[in-house]
Amino acid sequence: MSLVIRRISVENFRKFRTPVVIEGLTDGLNVVIEPNEAGKSTLLDALRAAFFVRFNTRNQLAQSFAPHGDAVGPEVKVAFEVDGAPWSVTKHFLRSASVEVSGPQGRAQGEEAEARLNALLGSVRDTSRGGDVATYGALGLLWVAQAEALSVTAPGQIVRDTITSTLEAEVGSIIGGAAYRRVRDRVEAQYELYWTPTGQKRGRQTDAHERLEAAEAAAREAADRLATLERSFLDVEAARARLKIIQREMADNTDVQTRSSLIASLDIARVAAQILTTRRAEQEAVNGKVKALADVRQRHEDATQARTKADAALTQAREQRLGVADTLSVANQKVVDARTALNSARTDRQAVRTALAEGEERIRQSRRGAAIQAARQRHADLLKLEEQRSAAKALADTAIAPKVLTLLEAHDRAVAEAQAVVNAGATRIALCGSADGITIDGQPMALGARTLDREVHIRFGAAELQITPPASAASAAEVLASALCKRKATFDDFGVIDLAAARASNEIARDAAADLRTLEARIEAATPADEVLQLPTGSAALKLFVAELGTEEAVGVAEVPDIAELTKAMETADSAAARAEGAQDSAIEALRRAEQQEAPLATAEARAASDVANAVSALEVIERRPEWPTLTEDLARAREQAAEASVKVEDALRDASAHDVEAITRKIELIDARVRTAGETRTRLETDIARLEGTIESEGGLGLADRTAAAYEEVEAARIAFQRVTDEAQTLKALRSTLDDARNETSAKFVGPVAARAKRHIERLFSGCELTFSEDLGLESVVRAGVDESCASLSRGTQEQLAVLTRIAFADMLLEEGKPVSLILDDPLVYSDDARLDTMIEILSEAATRMQVVILTCRDRAFRHVPGNRIAL
């Protein structure tokens, strides 16, 4: 049963934004030759989407169908035939997603339409996010996109099952057929009750394991509750015994009596502590008075000693200052004399400097006047040179370019040549004598010769003479007239009379250009820079300077001063001022040394005088105090009182030590804590006893021992059931593995028929070649000349050719099974050489007699000669 695509319509699908319709597809070979990026691969993707991608999917693959940047719904319509019956499918994706399938059974939409397509094409629902080609069935193997045919791959499970069913009769085995699948499905159904697809435990195994765990947990809980009840009997008896001990301790009055005694001792101790505090305060007061009186006496003695020492230092400082007073006076006078001499030298130097500046200014004005006169003269010369330059430039601008002169010469030459042609082919006549009564073309004829280039009529009275020059003369005359017009127009354009005038004008312009260069050099030489006037080089700077100068004239200097004499006087004045500054610095330095010698003496004198004044002031303050007159008697009396206070403090300290307040307080607190702890313990024990009695009352009648025994029996039963389920799971696992091993052993029987069908195609390309297929019907290796070559090691071109040939072999077997088959190849055989390409095209042409073959290619030269139906996008 063959599948034939008749018509494809695509809109808003990737690059096909506008509707694109491909019609005229035939049953045999169809060739689409279009350049790259014309949409061939997009067309194949659209076919796959229409047949195999669910209409309501919104995964990444479906999102890629929409044109980039457009929010539209891609649409694909396909009209096709299956075993001669017409079918059609229309799918909308993303926006307003829908599907409609029409066929012999009528129309279907939505999920029903998808199911009808799957049943018709032998495909299954694709649950992957990116489109699994293996779920497309036979067409997933035979509709080959770009680069998919570059490697030899095994067919999908759907194709393998179909081929296996076809070959069952040939190999005489049920392994892999319908009977095997029934057995395998039964085993798989039982296997899934115990194991996951990855071999992990589930179902009955996990249920049995959970039952065992629950029974063990229940048994542990019952045992724990029974043990708790038994511990409760022991705990309640222990709590009652401890409660009797606590109650007996609390009934004892020893602590009460001891506490009363401690309270009485505490009052006595507090009184003793208060007396001690009072005695210490009295002692501190007496000691303070002794210290204050002793301090006054000591300060008076210290002030007396300080006054004596300060008087001696003051006397010594004054004597030393008298020794350096004369030296300081002499140094001061020297500084005054040096300052006077320096001021006089500076005044003389300023006068000489002023005279020198005035002399330099008069010389500068004299030089500027001479420079201004020279600049005015250069300006006058510049104006004349610029006038000459303007005239020369005007003449130089009349120069005719060499190209123009060549053009004028060409026109003049064309006129001469045309004139020569006219003269060679025209008729010449000459009239002599009297011209009275003679006319030419109705006009009086003049004497002399003329050239005739056209037909003329000459009348002599009643007679008329007709002269007809050769026919070529007319065209020559036209050429001459045209040449004369062109020459005149060119002369008029460039303002010359004739070629000689143009040449003469050009010579004059050339001479003027030479003169112009000479004048430019003269202008540059006439406008040099002037340092006196700060004038830069150039005519523009000179013109600007003269314009800004206005009517300023050079200032004359009656007498030029002697700058050398003034400079010498300036040097003499500088030397005198320098010597005066040195003398002043020396005098100041001597004064500084004298002041440095006198300064510490003055400081010592001032410090000694200050110390004397401070000591006298301190003595006066102390002696004015009211306690000063009786200080000695008061100090002796205060010391006696301090001794008496010390004795009283010692007595109070002995009394306070005998009755320690803190020790008594700690003993009282210890007794209180012991009583409080006993009460709290009694309360806690009574609570525990009540709780334990409640537990015994509530748990004692529940039959915990019987329940514990029953729980252990359930554990044993759950363990036996778990072991039985485990054995069943292992048995099913071993049975499934045994079936797989048996299938693997028998699957080799299917490889022979597959290889035989593929070999008849591959023999035409690789003579004497044997094929080796894997258990999943994938081509593994090729045996040539006794050498086994893995497909992975073959060249890309050979792999591609083998992949196409094995697909054709699978397609033939699928046709025998009655499956819908067609072959679509996108850019096939890109790595084939010319010889193998021709052979592959022959094989594809033969396959097209059994099924529809569509070739999408960009290689016009390789496929232009292929016979078949040509389709244009």
Side-chain angles (χ1 to χ4, degrees):
M1 180 171 64
S2 180
L3 180 145
V4 181
I5 298 172
R6 296 299 186 188
R7 184 177 185 274
I8 307 170
S9 175
V10 182
E11 182 178 1
N12 292 325
F13 193 95
R14 292 183 181 167
K15 70 174 299 172
F16 296 134
R17 285 181 163 84
T18 58
V20 175
V21 179
I22 296 90
E23 297 180 303
L25 294 165
T26 61
D27 296 358
L29 181 62
N30 299 269
V31 182
V32 179
I33 304 176
E34 295 289 349
N36 289 330
E37 299 186 1
K40 302 184 297 298
S41 300
T42 303
L43 183 63
L44 178 55
D45 290 340
L47 280 174
R48 285 181 165 180
F51 284 110
F52 306 115
V53 179
R54 295 182 59 78
F55 72 98
N56 55 359
T57 184
R58 303 186 67 84
N59 59 16
Q60 186 175 1
L61 176 62
Q63 296 291 337
S64 70
F65 294 160
H68 181 69
D70 293 351
V72 296
E75 179 187 70
V76 184
K77 299 179 181 179
V78 183
F80 60 99
E81 295 178 2
V82 178
D83 202 16
W87 290 80
S88 67
V89 57
T90 302
K91 276 192 181 180
H92 293 267
F93 296 96
L94 303 180
R95 299 172 68 88
S96 302
S98 64
V99 59
E100 181 177 329
V101 175
S102 298
Q105 294 84 16
R107 293 191 302 171
Q109 295 179 340
E111 295 296 337
E112 182 181 353
E114 293 284 5
R116 186 174 295 183
L117 271 180
N118 291 338
L120 178 66
L121 302 176
S123 60
V124 297
R125 178 172 178 175
D126 181 13
T127 59
S128 66
R129 296 183 60 83
D132 185 3
V133 178
T135 64
Y136 297 174
L139 298 181
L141 176 67
L142 302 178
W143 289 3
V144 186
Q146 276 186 356
E148 286 183 4
L150 293 181
S151 61
V152 181
T153 57
Q157 185 63 45
I158 299 175
V159 178
R160 292 201 302 273
D161 290 344
T162 303
I163 294 173
T164 301
S165 177
T166 303
L167 299 177
E168 276 185 357
E170 296 185 26
V171 300
S173 174
I174 67 169
I175 297 299
Y180 168 78
R181 282 197 295 273
R182 286 194 297 273
V183 175
R184 178 59 185 257
D185 291 344
R186 181 68 180 273
V187 172
E188 283 292 334
Q190 293 297 318
Y191 179 84
E192 289 177 357
L193 297 176
Y194 297 90
W195 302 97
T196 66
T198 59
Q200 303 296 320
K201 295 178 181 180
R202 74 171 180 184
R204 292 181 178 178
Q205 287 199 87
T206 56
D207 292 343
H209 185 264
E210 290 174 358
R211 177 190 172 187
L212 177 59
E213 289 182 342
E216 290 176 345
R220 285 194 300 271
E221 181 184 1
D224 292 342
R225 292 181 64 182
L226 181 60
T228 301
L229 178 62
E230 293 175 351
R231 285 196 303 271
S232 297
F233 284 108
L234 299 176
D235 293 342
V236 72
E237 292 300 328
R240 287 170 178 170
R242 291 185 60 192
L243 179 62
K244 290 179 181 179
I245 294 172
I246 293 300
Q247 289 175 345
R248 185 170 59 252
E249 291 178 353
M250 294 180 67
D252 189 1
N253 294 327
T254 303
D255 288 340
V256 176
Q257 296 174 359
T258 303
R259 191 176 187 280
S260 300
S261 177
L262 290 174
I263 291 296
S265 299
L266 181 61
D267 294 337
I268 297 171
R270 286 173 177 171
V271 173
Q274 182 64 38
I275 293 171
L276 176 62
T277 303
T278 303
R279 295 293 181 261
R280 284 177 175 173
E282 292 174 352
Q283 182 186 25
E284 290 178 359
V286 173
N287 289 338
K289 184 176 180 181
V290 171
K291 183 178 179 181
L293 294 174
D295 182 65
V296 171
R297 185 171 185 176
Q298 183 63 39
R299 285 192 289 126
H300 186 272
E301 292 176 356
D302 293 340
T304 303
Q305 293 178 0
R307 183 181 62 181
T308 303
K309 185 177 180 181
D311 287 339
L314 178 60
T315 302
Q316 183 181 3
R318 286 174 177 173
E319 292 176 352
Q320 290 176 349
R321 284 193 69 188
L322 290 175
V324 298
D326 296 339
T327 303
L328 184 60
S329 177
V330 172
N332 281 323
Q333 185 60 42
K334 287 183 177 180
V335 170
V336 173
D337 295 341
R339 185 184 302 112
T340 302
L342 178 59
N343 291 335
S344 176
R346 286 176 176 173
T347 301
D348 295 342
R349 183 178 62 182
Q350 184 62 35
V352 174
R353 182 175 296 169
T354 302
L356 177 60
E358 292 175 354
E360 290 176 347
E361 178 62 22
R362 286 198 296 271
I363 292 175
R364 190 189 65 77
Q365 291 179 358
S366 175
R367 291 177 179 174
R368 176 175 173 79
I372 289 174
Q373 291 178 359
R376 289 186 183 279
Q377 183 60 43
R378 290 198 304 274
H379 183 260
D381 296 341
L382 173 63
L383 295 179
K384 293 178 182 179
L385 292 173
E386 287 183 342
E387 184 177 355
Q388 295 174 8
R389 183 180 63 179
S390 299
K393 189 174 186 306
L395 291 176
D397 291 342
T398 62
I400 300 175
K403 291 183 179 180
V404 175
L405 192 60
T406 301
L407 179 63
L408 295 177
E409 291 174 349
H411 284 311
D412 195 69
R413 190 180 306 108
V415 170
E417 291 174 354
Q419 186 65 54
V421 173
V422 170
N423 292 339
T427 302
R428 294 182 61 81
I429 61 174
L431 179 62
C432 300
S434 176
D436 294 340
I438 301 173
T439 62
I440 180 170
D441 291 337
Q443 299 295 328
M445 184 175 178
L447 297 177
R450 70 171 59 188
T451 301
L452 301 180
D453 53 6
R454 59 184 176 81
E455 180 181 312
V456 298
H457 298 272
I458 301 175
R459 181 172 292 281
F460 301 90
E464 183 177 91
L465 175 63
Q466 179 178 346
I467 301 174
T468 303
S472 60
S475 62
E478 290 298 329
V479 172
L480 176 60
S482 176
L484 289 171
C485 289
K486 289 182 179 180
R487 185 179 68 177
K488 184 176 184 307
T490 305
F491 286 159
D492 292 342
D493 289 341
F494 294 101
V496 294
I497 301 174
D498 52 21
L499 181 60
R503 289 173 175 167
S505 175
N506 217 30
E507 290 296 328
I508 294 172
R510 189 179 295 110
D511 294 340
D515 293 340
L516 183 61
R517 289 191 294 272
T518 302
L519 290 170
E520 291 287 352
R522 292 178 62 188
I523 289 173
E524 184 178 357
T527 56
D530 193 330
E531 294 183 359
V532 176
L533 299 177
Q534 298 296 314
L535 182 65
T537 304
S539 59
L542 180 59
K543 289 180 180 179
L544 179 62
F545 174 76
V546 173
E548 293 177 350
L549 190 62
T551 60
E552 179 182 348
E553 298 293 340
V555 179
V557 179
E559 182 180 356
V560 178
D562 188 351
I563 296 299
E565 186 67 25
L566 291 174
T567 302
K568 185 177 180 182
M570 181 65 191
E571 293 175 354
T572 303
D574 286 339
S575 298
R579 288 194 299 271
E581 288 179 357
Q584 184 187 34
D585 293 341
S586 177
I588 291 174
E589 182 63 26
L591 177 61
R592 185 179 298 111
R593 287 195 300 270
E595 287 175 346
Q596 290 176 352
Q597 186 179 3
E598 191 267 346
L601 298 178
T603 302
E605 181 181 357
R607 184 167 51 249
S610 176
D611 292 344
V612 170
N614 290 334
V616 171
S617 175
L619 287 172
E620 291 177 352
V621 170
I622 292 173
E623 291 175 355
R624 283 199 299 270
R625 294 174 66 89
E627 65 269 20
W628 173 251
T630 60
L631 178 62
T632 302
E633 294 81 1
D634 293 341
L635 180 57
R637 191 181 307 108
R639 285 174 177 170
E640 292 176 358
Q641 292 174 355
E644 294 175 357
S646 297
V647 173
K648 293 179 180 180
V649 168
E650 289 296 332
D651 295 339
L653 182 59
R654 278 194 305 272
D655 295 339
S657 299
H659 301 85
D660 189 352
V661 175
E662 294 181 358
I664 296 172
T665 302
R666 284 195 298 270
K667 291 179 181 179
I668 294 172
E669 290 175 352
L670 180 59
I671 292 173
D672 292 342
R674 188 161 54 243
V675 172
R676 184 171 58 254
T677 301
E680 292 174 354
T681 303
R682 181 183 62 184
T683 302
R684 185 178 70 254
L685 289 174
E686 290 174 346
T687 303
D688 292 342
I689 291 170
R691 177 177 56 78
L692 292 172
E693 290 176 347
T695 301
I696 293 170
E697 183 180 357
S698 61
E699 297 288 335
L702 297 179
L704 293 180
D706 295 337
R707 293 175 63 179
T708 303
Y712 278 112
E713 291 176 359
E714 173 61 20
V715 169
E716 187 62 24
R719 183 175 291 110
I720 294 172
F722 176 72
Q723 185 62 41
R724 183 182 66 255
V725 170
T726 302
D727 294 341
E728 292 174 356
Q730 294 298 329
T731 302
L732 282 171
K733 193 172 186 180
L735 177 58
R736 185 172 181 265
S737 176
T738 302
L739 285 174
D740 289 339
D741 294 340
R743 184 183 184 188
N744 292 335
E745 292 174 1
T746 311
S747 62
K749 299 178 182 180
F750 294 95
V751 173
V754 174
R757 285 172 170 80
K759 184 177 180 180
R760 68 185 180 210
H761 299 298
I762 297 176
E763 272 284 344
R764 299 178 61 181
L765 196 65
F766 308 101
S767 179
C769 175
E770 297 292 339
L771 304 178
T772 302
F773 285 84
S774 63
E775 295 176 356
D776 60 357
L777 301 182
L779 184 59
E780 280 191 339
S781 62
V782 177
V783 180
R784 292 185 289 187
V787 178
D788 191 351
E789 302 177 72
S790 173
C791 288
S793 64
L794 298 175
S795 67
R796 299 295 295 276
T798 302
Q799 289 189 43
E800 184 183 30
Q801 295 149 19
L802 290 174
V804 173
L805 293 176
T806 53
R807 280 177 167 85
I808 294 175
F810 286 130
D812 289 338
M813 285 185 278
L814 291 169
L815 279 174
E816 295 175 10
E817 182 68 14
K819 299 298 181 182
V821 170
S822 69
L823 185 62
I824 301 178
L825 303 176
D826 186 9
D827 270 341
L829 309 173
V830 293
Y831 293 102
S832 299
D833 57 39
D834 294 339
R836 289 189 178 181
L837 179 62
D838 292 339
T839 304
M840 291 296 299
I841 291 175
E842 292 177 3
I843 296 173
L844 288 172
S845 299
E846 292 179 2
T849 61
R850 303 186 297 277
M851 68 191 80
Q852 185 185 46
V853 178
V854 180
I855 297 177
L856 307 171
T857 182
C858 61
R859 303 168 65 195
D860 181 60
R861 179 178 300 176
F863 290 90
R864 68 175 61 161
H865 66 285
V866 176
N869 181 35
R870 299 299 178 91
I871 303 296
L873 295 183

